[in-house]
Amino acid sequence: MERVGSIVWAADNQTLFYTVEDEEQKRQFQFWRHTRSTPHSEDVLVYQDNDERFNLGTGRTRDGKFIVLESASHTTTESQFLEAAQPNGEFRVISPREDEHEYSVDHRNGLWFIRTNDQGRNLRLVTAPVATPAAATGPSAFLIAKT
């Protein structure tokens, strides 16, 4: 594999996810899934971000339960997640891409902890259930702290 950026293992220890750099634009723009014991030529393209302003990165939540794919520009973020134990599942969006909305996520005890600037310049820390992560944005979100 060439021009690989970030790498993350699924919980099955057989599946590897990785990002790949566009040779011309020098940004991570593709997200691939590789399964051990299969040739690299059979890797599956999971996601491609065609917006030149955005770079991809991937990792696991601190508790190891989820794989997170982040697409970020200087002012906007969009994150998708997948249960680490279900590497062939579908990624789901935390909060859809919206100009000037930046956020970062982590997971613990069935809740997303989301640091967001959705209500202005200052950041706030909110929680949302895994089933409905978009509920964290908006005035009804459970506010933990505001900076």
Side-chain angles (χ1 to χ4, degrees), residues 23-41:
E23 201 168 342
E24 271 183 31
Q25 298 170 352
K26 303 296 183 202
R27 69 182 183 92
Q28 300 292 312
F29 79 118
Q30 291 181 329
F31 183 62
W32 292 83
R33 179 177 56 231
H34 171 78
T35 305
R36 269 173 53 173
S37 76
T38 62
H40 174 61
S41 61

Side-chain angles (χ1 to χ4, degrees), residues 44-71:
V44 176
L45 178 62
V46 176
Y47 179 77
Q48 179 171 317
D49 198 323
N50 293 321
D51 190 330
E52 295 177 2
R53 300 173 299 162
F54 288 83
N55 261 310
L56 298 178
T58 190
R60 286 199 29 197
T61 54
R62 289 182 194 191
D63 64 5
K65 293 186 181 198
F66 292 93
I67 295 169
V68 177
L69 171 63
E70 182 181 86
S71 186

Side-chain angles (χ1 to χ4, degrees), residues 62 70 77 79 94-95 101-106 112-119 121-128 136-137 142-147:
R62 289 182 194 191
E70 182 181 86
T77 310
S79 293
I94 296 277
S95 181
H101 179 207
E102 295 177 278
Y103 65 93
S104 59
V105 301
D106 207 344
W112 287 113
F113 286 76
I114 304 171
R115 195 170 148 234
T116 177
N117 70 345
D118 67 336
Q119 292 187 357
R121 206 171 119 194
N122 294 328
L123 294 169
R124 64 191 191 126
L125 182 62
V126 297
T127 62
T137 57
F142 181 71
L143 178 65
I144 296 175
K146 192 169 184 175
T147 59

